[in-house]
Amino acid sequence: MTKILPADLKNIYLASEMIKKGKIVAFPTETVYGLGADAFNPTAVALIFEAKRRPKFDPLIVHISNYKMLELVAKEIPKEIEKLIQIFWPGPLTVVLPKKDEIPALTTAGLQTVAVRMPQHPVALKLISLSDTPIAAPSANPFGKLSPTNAEQVYKGLKDKVDLILDGGPSPIGIESTIIKEENGDIYLLRPGSISIEDIEKIIEKKVRLREIPKIEAPGSFPSHYAPQTPLFLLKGEKLPKEFSKKRIGFLAFSSKPKFAKFQEIRILSKKGDLKEAAKNFFSYLYELDSLNLDLILAEKVPQKGLGLAIMDRLKKASQNKFI
Ligand code: TXA
Ligand code: MG
């Protein structure tokens, strides 16, 4: 039986005791909810893979609450990464670093690197520090599905596969962390996220490099990811082909109602056209549309700058690049 408990100090303490005993616990972060286990306990980490049905070759992010923990997990920290974490930690930046031998191979899926981040959410920070160990945590959803931004979504996705869900309300940012890596003096973007490329470039005073990541290096970038149950398509132009006119369609709009056709349900990510607000609403609105038994979800593109890049990345994967 899964318990959903308010994330007060007593329950965070209870959760930390469970982490210490090798159990898995879902908890809020500022980006999305995570499903956590002691990063140094391979048996506990295995439970995460099992609960999510996540392939064993997809490595986890290790969450820390202080810089001592960083020393426990990473062998060295390149200068520019150091600069970036000083600015953006605690916060939604994940950095890929050479790993310490003590980290079990399962946590990093056999890679010689480890993805690390210090989250900003007070509940996450308290849970890690009370557990007194880095916590490995992917997003708390079944593999390939929508990332959860509240406790109820976690419950619906994982049901009785997790003993405890700490309910800390909706995640304030709503989209996953940005993942970067240093190589030969350059910073590479492995996953666009809530810290924008522009934010990073301001600090390092040079271009962030984008590249088609080899699958083994960021297996999270499978063709179908972040996917609702309902088929999702991206809107190409502003016309609905005839064969769709009888379908029950949910429309995910960026900033205003579509004028070119009528839809069963419409969700507007941000009436102000604010990408931050759009990111916060993104997964929640997809969950809502997904629960309405529609024939399909049609999503409008968002501007591809700042947070918009992260939203578009999720939309492209959720739709498997299928357009209408
Ligand atoms: O915001 C977030 O990052 C959330 C919260 C819970 O912190 N976590 C999250 O974890 O999004 P997950 O597992 O859903 O996505 C982690 C991504 C995966 O695509 C994985 O392949 C990649 O990080 N990753 C993990 N370790 C890596 C490594 N050593 N090198 C390259 N990519 C790595
Ligand atoms: Mg995920």
Side-chain angles (χ1 to χ4, degrees), residues 223-234:
S224 168
H225 223 82
Y226 312 109
Q229 311 285 348
T230 316
L232 184 142
F233 295 84
L234 270 162

Side-chain angles (χ1 to χ4, degrees), residues 32 52 54 58 138-141 144-145 147 176 191 220 225-226:
V32 300
K52 277 183 65 95
R54 182 180 175 109
D58 192 0
S139 50
N141 51 279
K145 302 296 176 199
S147 300
E176 297 90 341
R191 177 177 73 182
H225 223 82
Y226 312 109

